[in-house]
Amino acid sequence: MAGGEDGDRRAGTGSADGSAWAQELLEHLRPHGRDVRRVVAWLADAVRGVASLQDDTGRLLAGSRPPLDEDLVAAVAAGRIASAAWEGQGRHLRLVRVTYPNPSAAGVLAVARDTPFDRRTSDIVTHTVQVIELLLKADETTAAGIRLERATSDLRLAILQLLMVEDTVSARRVAAGLWPGLLDTDTACVHVVEGTVEERDTVAEECIDATGERALVVLCPAVDEHVIVVTPGESEARDLRSLIGGRPRTFIGGSARQSLARTATAYGQAVSALAVAHFRPDKAAVYAERTHPERLIDPAALREWTDRLLRPLDTLPHHTRAELLATTRLGLEFTAVNAAKVLGVSRNTVRARMERVEALLRTDFGNLTARAVVHLALNIQVSLADTPVGADGPDRAPASLRDLLSGPAMRTWARDLLAHLDQDTRDLRRTLRTWIAEGANAERAAQTLGVHAQTVREHVRSAEPVLERRLLAGGSDLYEVVLAHLALDDPDEPAVHGVKTGLPDSLVHG
């Protein structure tokens, strides 16, 4: 065995005053080196022996465990003795109790070597225990902070999910404990901030800081790049928009102001506006900034048509009806999987609720036109909730959807919107109409047009920035374009109806 001085030099723990080991041990307290396993490994090397750390249940946490007397270990772990030393059969052992942040638990550090423990190695063991206790305390503090952040994040999501199904009473009750006054409002806007996955946590923290916790900030459970923010006041919305200026890959879309019970509708509007924000130089858009088809139709007649379409749902209990409508709004806007994540239910639950609505309305959500028409009705139910229904006279038949869409303002809007496509030499307009007529199926549209399916997808993708609407992703933007084609209804073009919509004929054709 090498002499003491030579051995210290090889272990890298010696110096003129024999204290270099202390400096090395302190290095383990730096942020980049905080790892109990590394400390135990360092200790074994420093004393030229074997070291291990185990908890009071005997589970090995770090190092290589030497042969131990279980009764002696139990006595140290229980605190009946603070430390113990044992030697025999050419082996020297030290056991030291390690205090955990939780006073009801403890660990045992065991160190074994072939030579007796001198003052230097005893000091190394003593100070190593102190460092391990500090690291365990730091880990517990960090873990507690992470648990608190997760619990808070889960609570915010739970509040949002209650708002999504129109349970505002429960949402306010849950929010009152941590954020008093947060939902003391009748109306709010929803904003969706989109960034990168890597920056999302940072963006969410900045949203919380910018709004001073006067807004509900939620990590979107469906889209990893999105942060959802429910903003009760106008100042919070302005603060949010100020965040995206210095971030080149960050965008924000905002809804129109809605009642808290219409949070699901506001969320859909915010996602739609977010798509527009991608084409804006300031990377921000608000849903109310562009003209939507329902604004161009006689509100009383539109409200009357909506009530007739959705009347079969009126027989349901209020809570059930609200639950089905909220789920259907999201299910028509997003995939069943994403709608389920937002609502906190299974995708089978989403599908079952939507199938129930299909049965009640006698429609087929597998048909794109039917989806667009029901989506329009659900939007009207929200936006025109306070509009009186026009009275039906003896000479006035109820308006059909065809009647509503054939008005001059509606046809002008549709013509102006689709005319933007004429600037492209690839005849995007024909491709888009055929694609819609085939239920947004690129393969079937390609067969009709005699081109490759990828060509159809490229044409539809090229139409998105021209129309300032996302099409391939589906949702309200696509439904608006479907309604524009229905409004024009050119008999010389492929029929947008394609197949029967699945809606009652009186509501579609009159």
Side-chain angles (χ1 to χ4, degrees):
M1 182 173 179
E5 181 180 352
D6 182 56
D8 283 346
R9 190 162 49 245
R10 281 197 237 169
T13 56
S15 68
D17 59 1
S19 61
W21 65 267
Q23 184 61 39
E24 289 185 9
L25 183 57
L26 289 175
E27 289 293 322
H28 289 281
L29 291 175
R30 294 184 181 275
H32 67 275
R34 293 177 180 173
D35 186 338
V36 170
R37 290 169 298 183
R38 291 177 58 186
V39 173
V40 173
W42 172 89
L43 173 62
D45 184 62
V47 302
R48 294 188 298 281
V50 178
S52 69
L53 176 66
Q54 65 183 56
D55 62 18
D56 51 4
T57 67
R59 183 168 62 97
L60 183 65
L61 303 178
S64 301
R65 181 159 36 202
L68 300 173
D69 183 291
E70 293 183 3
D71 293 336
L72 190 58
V73 172
V76 173
R80 293 193 292 273
I81 53 176
S83 62
W86 178 89
E87 62 179 87
Q89 300 177 344
R91 195 164 57 90
H92 300 266
L93 178 69
R94 288 287 177 91
L95 300 176
V96 185
R97 189 172 192 267
V98 177
T99 303
Y100 276 25
N102 181 358
S104 63
V108 176
L109 178 68
V111 185
R113 65 197 305 257
D114 295 334
T115 57
F117 285 84
D118 54 19
R119 180 174 179 179
R120 173 182 164 279
T121 51
S122 296
D123 286 345
I124 292 175
V125 173
T126 300
H127 289 286
T128 300
V129 170
Q130 295 171 352
V131 168
I132 290 175
E133 290 177 342
L134 287 173
L135 292 179
L136 291 174
K137 185 175 182 179
D139 287 345
E140 177 61 25
T141 302
T142 301
I146 293 173
R147 288 195 297 270
L148 179 60
E149 289 179 2
R150 287 177 179 171
T152 304
S153 180
D154 290 344
L155 188 59
R156 290 192 177 103
L157 175 58
I159 295 170
L160 176 66
Q161 290 169 339
L162 288 170
L163 292 175
M164 287 288 191
V165 295
E166 303 183 17
D167 192 351
T168 57
V169 174
S170 296
R172 286 190 175 106
R173 186 179 297 120
V174 174
L178 285 179
W179 303 284
L182 175 64
L183 298 180
D184 288 350
T185 178
D186 294 326
T187 62
C189 293
V190 173
H191 289 79
V192 177
V193 182
E194 178 182 290
T196 63
V197 175
E198 296 76 17
E199 294 181 337
R200 184 169 77 154
D201 288 344
T202 302
V203 170
E205 291 174 3
E206 290 181 357
C207 290
I208 294 172
D209 292 341
T211 59
E213 294 198 344
R214 298 185 305 276
L216 180 65
V217 180
V218 180
L219 298 177
C220 179
V223 183
D224 291 340
E225 295 85 1
H226 287 183
V227 176
I228 303 170
V229 187
V230 181
T231 55
E234 293 296 334
S235 61
E236 290 82 15
R238 287 193 298 270
D239 293 337
L240 282 178
R241 287 192 288 269
S242 69
L243 292 178
I244 66 172
R247 293 182 174 274
R249 295 180 294 174
T250 304
F251 307 86
I252 185 170
S255 73
R257 182 163 289 276
Q258 301 283 357
S259 69
L260 284 182
R262 300 293 184 253
T263 299
T265 298
Y267 172 59
Q269 292 179 349
V271 173
S272 178
L274 181 63
V276 177
H278 280 265
F279 309 122
R280 296 285 179 86
D282 60 353
K283 300 176 295 180
V286 176
Y287 184 78
E289 287 181 354
R290 75 188 193 205
T291 301
H292 298 279
E294 59 265 29
R295 300 172 185 268
L296 305 172
I297 304 173
D298 174 46
L302 193 56
R303 168 69 191 280
E304 185 271 338
W305 171 82
T306 298
D307 287 350
R308 282 193 296 129
L309 179 63
L310 301 180
R311 188 169 296 153
L313 297 173
D314 293 343
T315 59
L316 301 172
H318 173 75
H319 177 73
T320 301
R321 183 177 186 274
E323 188 176 68
L324 291 180
L325 289 176
T327 302
T328 303
R329 286 191 186 99
L330 289 177
L332 292 176
E333 194 71 44
F334 310 102
T335 65
V337 173
N338 285 349
K341 290 178 180 178
V342 171
L343 291 171
V345 297
S346 72
R347 61 184 177 181
N348 289 335
T349 298
V350 170
R351 291 184 178 123
R353 291 175 183 175
M354 293 186 69
E355 287 171 0
R356 187 174 181 185
V357 173
E358 281 181 300
L360 288 169
L361 299 184
R362 295 187 292 127
T363 188
D364 176 14
F365 288 153
N367 180 278
L368 177 58
T369 305
R371 289 171 68 90
V373 171
V374 174
H375 184 269
L376 173 66
L378 294 177
N379 278 348
I380 299 309
Q381 183 195 48
V382 173
S383 60
L384 298 182
D386 299 326
T387 301
V389 179
D392 292 337
D395 299 325
R396 180 180 179 276
S400 68
L401 179 63
R402 184 179 294 277
D403 296 332
L404 298 174
L405 297 180
S406 62
M410 184 67 185
R411 290 180 62 85
T412 299
W413 167 81
R415 192 177 297 110
D416 290 345
L417 173 65
L418 299 179
H420 293 295
L421 298 171
D422 296 335
Q423 301 173 11
D424 196 295
T425 59
R426 292 173 294 176
D427 202 354
L428 299 183
R429 185 165 180 170
R430 178 170 176 262
T431 301
L432 181 60
R433 185 177 184 93
T434 304
W435 178 71
I436 290 174
E438 296 294 348
N441 185 292
E443 284 73 18
R444 292 202 301 265
Q447 291 177 358
T448 302
L449 294 169
V451 298
H452 196 280
Q454 187 58 32
T455 301
V456 174
R457 296 187 187 95
E458 290 175 356
H459 284 197
V460 175
R461 191 175 292 110
S462 297
E464 290 184 324
V466 176
L467 299 177
E468 290 193 343
R469 284 160 174 81
R470 58 176 195 159
L471 303 174
L472 290 170
S476 58
D477 284 357
L478 174 58
Y479 300 147
E480 284 190 6
V481 177
V482 172
L483 293 176
H485 283 89
L486 285 173
L488 296 180
D489 201 17
D490 187 344
D492 295 329
E493 296 289 345
V496 172
H497 290 287
V499 295
K500 184 176 175 63
T501 62
L503 291 163
D505 287 342
S506 62
L507 298 182
V508 179
H509 301 292

